[in-house]
Amino acid sequence: MTLGLPLGSVIEGSLTGGLEVRLHPDISVEDMRVGKFLVVQGVRSRFFCMLTDVALGTANQRIVANPPNWDDTFLREVLAGSGTYGTINLAPMLMFTPESSEDYSPTNNKSPNPFVPSATGLASFQAQTSTTMELMPVKTIPSHFSQVYEASEEDFRRVFGWEDDPQRKNFSIGKPLDMDVPVCLDLNRFVERSNGVFGKSGTGKSFLTRLLLAGTIRKNAAVNLIFDMHSEYGWEAVSEGKQFSTVKGLKQLFPSQVDVYTLDPESTKRRGVPHAQELYLSYDQIEVEDIKLCSRDLGLSEASIDNANILCAEFGKAWIVQLLNMTNEDIKMFCEEKRGHQGSITALQRKLLRLDNLKYMRATCPQNYVNQMLRSLESGKNIVVEFGSQSDMLSYMLVTNMITRRIHQHYVRKAEKFLQTKNPLDKPTQLMITIEEAHRFLDPAIVQSTIFGTIAREMRKYFVTLLVVDQRPSGIDNEVMSQIGTRVTALLNDEKDIDAIFTGVSGAGSLKSVLAKLDSKQQALVLGHAVPMPVVVRTRPYDSTFYQEIGETIWQEKADDEVFAAAELAKADLGF
């Protein structure tokens, strides 16, 4: 197997600024697309690179001053490659140096080429790659006139692995822009840290998120707690496109592995979601930290929050119930005894009366639904919390904070016990919590006091990580963004958002142009902890083919049973 025809030669470059490559005369500059994955064959090493820019060059300024007529094809062909040429800029991401000096030359016929798989088949190549080939960060650059080649399928497999690798939980998120080979995430590394799905409205963030969640469930990489603000992940959701169609939710793909909880049972029933469990919360579960997170939506001042702390110190968990039952005289007496501020407490009481309009709030609950969810998570079940008509920002922030804080406290206790006993049976199951509109929870002004900021900074210390979904990454605290392990980013146009994506990423300058040039649909830049190098992919379609590829057949068998039952019922009605 040969390396194919070279595309161009390295003419200059630096380790920090990247490589400049002059294309050969027979290579059209129009075939070079930003985000393309290319390979540079040096004298000793092979470099895996991303194309970051395309440019035109001329050998003489007189050509530019007096360009040939476009109809003069003969003169244009004469100038092509000598007087006029195309250049591309490459950002080296990874390098591989064989151990044997005999293997340095790609044209060596005396021994097998280390850059191509042996003829014994893919299985042998996979085993060889896993044991002998170590991809290293780029610490140098190739020499002058090193040749640049199209990346082959084997190059992609060396860098990104293959989905059926028995040693890793790899999951294909898509394919390169110009090849039909899967690009895989290492899900074990993916769930180790908090991750993000970003992109402006309409670029398919929800489909990307659903894809990642399905892969995590299919590979048993973690259990998931998904706060489904717009009812898109649990059951059927409307697909994007000109024609109306729906896609299956996680409960349909994995009926035995996903539980759906709903804050609005009526809405869930209208959508035809079977076996959804109702979810209610009580006033005694609300703490001052939950109210503080929602202070913007409730219109609370700092003085009201301070007086909420005074009430909580006096009445404990029953502080909201006590406050709502107070008369003006009661408030006045309380302020005289406890040095509270009557105006602030009165305003707090008036604002908290809004909670009475929430369908899921109760003075007391017959059971602890959060503990029920914890038991499901510990048994390996994935949970989707649907909001239905209760999808306003107040409800979303209040519920997610209340549930997450209690689950995190439970995981902290379990992790500390595991660290003490070292018993594998005590090890908590890795948990990934998915939140939308993440900038509302991770805003720099409040991130220090929210449970989500704590989880993001802890990384996987207590076996809990986040999957944040947002169209405004610039609204997320810089410290939190620097802790995001893997970033799956669709098109962004705002400069602040683009800068935020590359917070804490080395060599970000060359990647910004790649992100800004993505298509608005079904393309994403993937970089971070779960992939060896940044790569632009055509994202995997979330359709009937995907349902079959992930290997889940229960939903199909169930559908067949329903069709058969309907047919039998029709026969009975007709007297057969």
Side-chain angles (χ1 to χ4, degrees):
M1 179 178 176
T2 62
L3 292 173
L5 297 175
L7 303 177
S9 303
V10 175
I11 54 175
E12 62 179 61
S14 68
L15 184 60
T16 56
L19 306 175
E20 183 173 347
V21 175
R22 179 166 173 169
L23 297 176
H24 292 324
D26 57 333
I27 303 300
S28 172
V29 72
E30 295 181 12
D31 293 333
M32 300 293 105
R33 306 292 176 88
V34 169
K36 191 179 181 69
F37 185 28
L38 297 175
V39 173
V40 180
Q41 181 59 64
V43 177
R44 298 186 57 193
S45 302
R46 192 167 197 184
F47 297 82
F48 301 95
C49 309
M50 177 182 286
L51 195 159
T52 59
D53 199 7
V54 184
L56 298 174
T58 55
N60 194 316
Q61 288 299 315
R62 294 176 62 187
I63 299 175
V64 179
N66 187 24
N69 192 294
W70 178 254
D71 295 331
D72 193 347
T73 56
F74 175 75
L75 183 54
R76 285 195 288 112
E77 290 175 359
V78 169
L79 292 174
S82 55
T84 61
Y85 53 88
T87 63
I88 56 176
N89 288 353
L90 303 182
M93 299 295 179
L94 294 169
M95 61 182 290
F96 169 59
T97 304
E99 295 181 0
S100 171
S101 60
E102 294 181 356
D103 292 333
Y104 290 153
S105 172
T107 58
N108 180 16
N109 295 320
K110 295 181 180 180
S111 61
N113 188 342
F115 300 123
V116 296
S118 63
T120 56
L122 182 58
S124 174
F125 163 62
Q126 292 172 349
Q128 174 188 350
T129 303
S130 299
T131 57
T132 63
M133 183 171 181
E134 184 178 4
L135 297 171
M136 303 293 294
V138 174
K139 299 294 179 69
T140 185
I141 57 175
S143 58
H144 273 98
F145 314 122
S146 294
Q147 296 298 287
V148 179
Y149 298 89
E150 293 265 9
S152 66
E153 180 176 343
E154 288 76 19
D155 290 321
F156 276 96
R157 291 188 179 276
R158 283 192 181 96
V159 175
F160 298 102
W162 48 94
E163 197 164 13
D164 56 350
D165 186 345
Q167 300 180 10
R168 294 183 176 88
K169 292 183 178 179
N170 285 345
F171 176 72
S172 171
I173 190 174
K175 296 179 179 179
L177 298 181
D178 53 356
M179 292 188 68
D180 190 23
V181 56
V183 172
C184 297
L185 292 176
D186 185 339
L187 290 181
N188 280 335
R189 292 174 63 85
F190 183 75
V191 300
E192 277 182 354
R193 299 184 181 180
S194 293
N195 307 291
V197 177
F198 305 106
K200 70 176 188 177
S201 180
T203 54
K205 292 189 302 298
S206 298
F207 280 81
L208 275 171
T209 305
R210 196 184 294 110
L211 188 74
L212 293 168
L213 292 171
T216 305
I217 296 172
R218 178 68 182 88
K219 297 285 185 175
N220 292 317
V223 291
N224 294 273
L225 173 59
I226 305 154
F227 292 105
D228 190 0
M229 186 177 187
H230 303 295
S231 303
E232 295 179 308
Y233 304 121
W235 200 247
E236 274 187 331
V238 177
S239 64
E240 296 182 1
K242 295 181 180 179
Q243 295 183 343
F244 176 82
S245 62
T246 59
V247 293
K248 293 185 179 295
L250 300 175
K251 178 67 174 176
Q252 292 164 289
L253 294 180
F254 309 99
S256 63
Q257 296 172 260
V258 177
D259 287 341
V260 176
Y261 284 76
T262 177
L263 296 168
D264 186 0
E266 295 179 0
S267 172
T268 302
K269 289 178 182 177
R270 286 195 299 269
R271 294 176 54 242
V273 183
H275 312 301
Q277 303 181 50
E278 297 181 1
L279 173 61
Y280 296 100
L281 299 172
S282 58
Y283 287 127
D284 60 1
Q285 292 176 305
I286 300 178
E287 297 183 7
V288 177
E289 288 81 359
D290 303 316
I291 297 300
K292 185 176 181 180
L293 180 67
C294 304
S295 59
R296 183 190 308 172
D297 299 281
L298 288 170
L300 295 176
S301 64
E302 286 293 330
S304 293
I305 298 297
D306 292 338
N307 281 272
N309 283 312
I310 297 174
L311 289 164
C312 185
E314 176 66 20
F315 299 115
K317 292 183 177 180
W319 72 277
I320 292 183
V321 175
Q322 291 286 345
L323 173 62
L324 295 181
N325 291 328
M326 281 183 173
T327 63
N328 289 337
E329 189 64 29
D330 293 333
I331 294 175
K332 182 178 180 180
M333 292 178 59
F334 177 83
C335 292
E336 290 175 353
E337 293 177 7
K338 304 299 179 181
R339 296 185 178 180
H341 188 275
Q342 184 175 352
S344 296
I345 293 181
T346 302
L348 178 63
Q349 182 190 53
R350 186 173 64 253
K351 300 296 177 60
L352 290 184
L353 284 172
R354 286 182 58 188
L355 301 181
D356 276 340
N357 298 324
L358 303 178
K359 293 182 178 181
Y360 52 86
M361 289 304 304
R362 298 288 186 271
T364 58
C365 285
Q367 60 176 305
N368 192 319
Y369 290 93
V370 177
N371 287 344
Q372 181 180 327
M373 295 169 69
L374 268 171
R375 289 192 293 270
S376 295
L377 291 171
E378 290 181 337
S379 66
K381 288 288 189 71
N382 301 273
I383 293 177
V384 179
V385 179
E386 285 195 353
F387 284 74
S389 64
Q390 304 296 294
S391 60
D392 59 282
M393 192 53 65
L394 171 61
S395 289
Y396 191 67
M397 296 184 74
L398 180 64
V399 171
T400 53
N401 200 61
M402 290 174 62
I403 294 175
T404 301
R405 185 161 38 77
R406 283 163 174 76
I407 288 177
H408 181 260
Q409 290 170 355
H410 178 80
Y411 263 76
V412 168
R413 290 192 295 269
K414 289 201 66 174
E416 290 173 345
K417 181 181 178 181
F418 170 63
L419 291 173
Q420 178 188 8
T421 64
K422 307 295 192 298
N423 185 350
L425 297 176
D426 293 332
K427 182 179 180 181
T429 305
Q430 181 68 43
L431 171 64
M432 186 166 70
I433 301 175
T434 301
I435 56 172
E436 299 180 280
E437 299 291 338
H439 68 274
R440 298 295 297 266
F441 301 92
L442 301 171
D443 184 277
I446 61 173
V447 70
Q448 300 296 330
S449 59
T450 68
I451 186 59
F452 299 102
T454 302
I455 293 173
R457 290 190 299 271
E458 286 173 351
M459 300 177 69
R460 64 163 304 183
K461 182 178 178 181
Y462 297 114
F463 303 93
V464 181
T465 57
L466 298 177
L467 177 60
V468 299
V469 184
D470 205 286
Q471 62 184 2
R472 254 195 64 202
S474 59
I476 298 176
D477 181 65
N478 284 340
E479 182 184 353
V480 172
M481 281 299 296
S482 68
Q483 299 299 325
I484 297 293
T486 304
R487 307 165 198 205
V488 182
T489 310
L491 177 65
L492 287 169
N493 296 129
D494 189 275
E495 288 293 333
K496 292 182 180 179
D497 291 330
I498 293 175
D499 290 339
I501 290 297
F502 297 104
T503 301
V505 177
S506 61
S510 60
L511 295 175
K512 290 181 180 179
S513 61
V514 176
L515 181 58
K517 298 296 190 297
L518 293 177
D519 287 352
S520 60
K521 295 286 186 181
Q522 217 172 350
Q523 281 191 12
L525 173 65
V526 186
L527 72 154
H529 190 60
V531 288
M533 62 173 280
V535 62
V536 176
V537 297
R538 288 179 289 114
T539 54
R540 190 173 183 175
Y542 190 90
D543 53 17
S544 57
T545 303
F546 172 74
Y547 307 153
Q548 299 172 7
E549 287 176 348
I550 63 172
E552 179 59 65
T553 58
I554 297 176
W555 65 269
Q556 185 61 55
E557 294 170 358
K558 182 179 179 182
D560 292 343
D561 291 342
E562 291 174 351
V563 171
F564 177 77
E568 291 298 311
L569 184 62
K571 288 181 180 179
D573 291 341
L574 293 174
F576 290 107

